[in-house]
Amino acid sequence: MTKTVISTSEAPQAIGPYSQAVSFGDFVFCSGQVALDPATGELVGDGVGEQARRCMENLRAVLAAAGTNLDRIVKTTIFLTDMNDFVEVNEAYGSFFSSDPPARATVAVVGLPKGARVEIECLAAL
């Protein structure tokens, strides 16, 4: 099996020493996405729901570059700076899965890059 780095201009470029995603075997491991606009690199949206939707759009772009899609996600992790945002993020996140959502964990964190309120990472099948 070969490790392959996945990169696309359709999602924000990494803001540190990491790849947007790495595929290995039958899986792609996506780095966490915050609500950065891929064109500007700036954080979008004041509302946490809007930020969660941008995170998912960014993940969709990375997965497409890897040759897979949101329906093939098997596990996600959501990082929130405020657990009071759980319901709003849940609604935005859930809109990307019409049926059979992936396994998931949601954790509270002290802070996220660029002052984001939410970050989402995933593991998907190829």
Side-chain angles (χ1 to χ4, degrees):
M1 287 188 269
T2 304
K3 173 180 143 179
T4 304
V5 171
I6 308 299
S7 182
T8 178
S9 61
E10 299 297 313
Q13 297 306 299
I15 55 175
Y18 60 90
S19 301
Q20 289 172 323
V22 173
S23 66
F24 189 81
D26 294 331
F27 292 96
V28 60
F29 302 82
C30 292
S31 293
Q33 289 288 325
V34 295
L36 297 179
D37 181 314
T40 66
E42 297 298 319
L43 195 64
V44 299
D46 292 327
V48 71
E50 185 180 356
Q51 286 192 14
R53 282 186 288 282
R54 181 76 252 176
C55 293
M56 292 302 296
E57 292 293 341
N58 291 344
L59 284 173
R60 183 190 322 238
V62 173
L63 291 171
T68 192
N69 60 59
L70 295 174
D71 291 336
R72 307 274 295 162
I73 294 175
V74 295
K75 170 75 168 60
T76 61
T77 305
I78 299 176
F79 304 93
L80 294 175
T81 58
D82 185 344
M83 277 304 220
N84 291 315
D85 292 334
F86 185 85
V87 171
E88 190 174 349
V89 168
N90 230 19
E91 289 175 12
Y93 170 89
S95 71
F96 286 85
F97 302 103
S98 57
S99 65
D100 302 322
R104 184 183 97 187
T106 303
V107 296
V109 297
V110 173
L112 291 168
K114 303 261 186 176
R117 295 172 62 185
V118 59
E119 179 173 354
I120 305 174
E121 68 176 14
C122 74
L123 166 63
L126 289 170

